Amino acid sequence: MFSFDGLGTLWDKLFSAQPDPPALLVLLTAVVALAVVAARGPWRIARNAVTIAHEGGHALAAVLTGRRLHGVRLHSDTSGLTLSAGRPSGPGMILTLLAGYVAPSLVGLAGAWLLGGNRITLLLWVAVVLLLAMLVMIRNVYGVLSLLVTGGVVLAVSWYATPQVQAAFAWTGVWFLLLGGIRPVFELRRQRNRGRMPASDADQLAGLTPFPALFWVGVFLVVNLAALVVGALLLAGDLLTEAGLRF
């Protein structure tokens, strides 16, 4: 039976602010995320989350610019592919190509904004909703499994974990997206130098605009670095305050 009291309780749970996390938690989660991004083994596994955000960025940009989205594929080597139909040139195609490499960092920045207001539960539930929305776009078995596992982990943490575990999970995840969004740009640069990615997003953008591929690699890097700086200020505001600084 529908209950307004139950709805009000859910609303309060979602939108109420949790207590400020300890400064040590903010610092340790940043260190853990950096270690995952820097280490080859953990990065190969965790990079799936970056790929999900990357392809989700392509898909969202395609839909918002009026292109027809045919589907998304996620592969076990952490690569992905988003298929859409429409004009092969023009602003819609440019924005669709541009969105991929900047999406993980921008998602991390949005997460940092929520965590800056201590909306931990809201962040986790928004993540679950976005993963479910992307699930309907997936067109291969590995992609479905990848999203189900990722979404299941986030849902389990949001539903069963203690507030302390939720905070550690949320801060680590957001730090990881902010930091992890940068590494693929350097990987792109290195692989292009070796001639291994002749049809990369940057190269396709070069074919649609007057600017060379290296310019677009630079754009990806500048956007992601800016997101990291702003996101770090949002996440570490309390640390800066304790250090006698104001943000």
Side-chain angles (χ1 to χ4, degrees):
M1 182 176 180
F2 179 79
S3 170
F4 284 103
D5 291 338
L7 183 60
T9 300
L10 178 61
W11 183 270
D12 290 340
K13 182 178 180 179
L14 280 176
F15 291 96
S16 61
Q18 282 75 34
D20 290 336
L24 182 60
L25 181 143
V26 177
L27 180 60
L28 287 179
T29 53
V31 172
V32 169
L34 180 59
V36 171
V37 172
R40 177 177 298 181
W43 170 249
R44 290 184 63 183
I45 298 172
R47 196 185 194 280
N48 282 285
V50 174
T51 302
I52 290 172
H54 179 114
E55 300 303 330
H58 282 315
L60 179 61
V63 171
L64 292 179
T65 57
R67 297 180 62 80
R68 296 187 302 279
L69 181 63
H70 289 325
V72 176
R73 301 177 69 89
L74 303 174
H75 304 134
S76 58
D77 62 355
T78 72
S79 65
L81 177 66
T82 299
L83 298 174
S84 64
R87 288 184 58 192
S89 61
M93 190 64 194
I94 292 173
L95 289 174
T96 299
L97 290 168
L98 180 61
Y101 275 97
V102 301
S105 293
L106 294 181
V107 171
L109 179 58
W113 177 73
L114 287 174
L115 290 184
N118 291 333
R119 296 319 198 265
I120 300 172
T121 303
L122 179 60
L123 170 65
L124 295 175
W125 281 43
V126 167
V128 171
V129 170
L130 291 176
L131 289 168
L132 287 175
M134 189 172 176
L135 183 61
V136 303
M137 310 174 193
I138 298 297
R139 297 295 182 267
N140 67 324
V141 174
Y142 180 83
V144 171
L145 292 176
S146 181
L147 281 177
L148 286 177
V149 170
T150 305
V153 170
V154 178
L155 181 61
V157 170
S158 68
W159 196 261
Y160 297 109
T162 64
Q164 293 79 10
V165 172
Q166 289 184 10
F169 181 84
W171 255 267
T172 302
V174 170
W175 277 120
F176 172 75
L177 287 174
L178 290 170
L179 293 163
I182 294 174
R183 178 165 174 171
V185 180
F186 286 102
E187 292 175 344
L188 171 64
R189 171 63 173 161
R190 183 169 60 252
Q191 291 171 350
R192 287 193 69 259
N193 286 342
R194 297 173 180 175
R196 295 181 180 178
M197 296 188 70
S200 69
D201 293 349
D203 289 281
Q204 292 182 66
L205 283 166
L208 296 174
T209 66
F211 306 106
L214 183 59
F215 169 85
W216 292 108
V217 174
V219 169
F220 299 154
L221 182 60
V222 168
V223 171
N224 292 356
L225 286 174
L228 173 60
V229 171
V230 177
L233 290 173
L234 290 169
L235 292 173
D238 290 338
L239 285 176
L240 295 177
T241 300
E242 290 181 10
L245 302 175
R246 298 174 66 90
F247 170 64

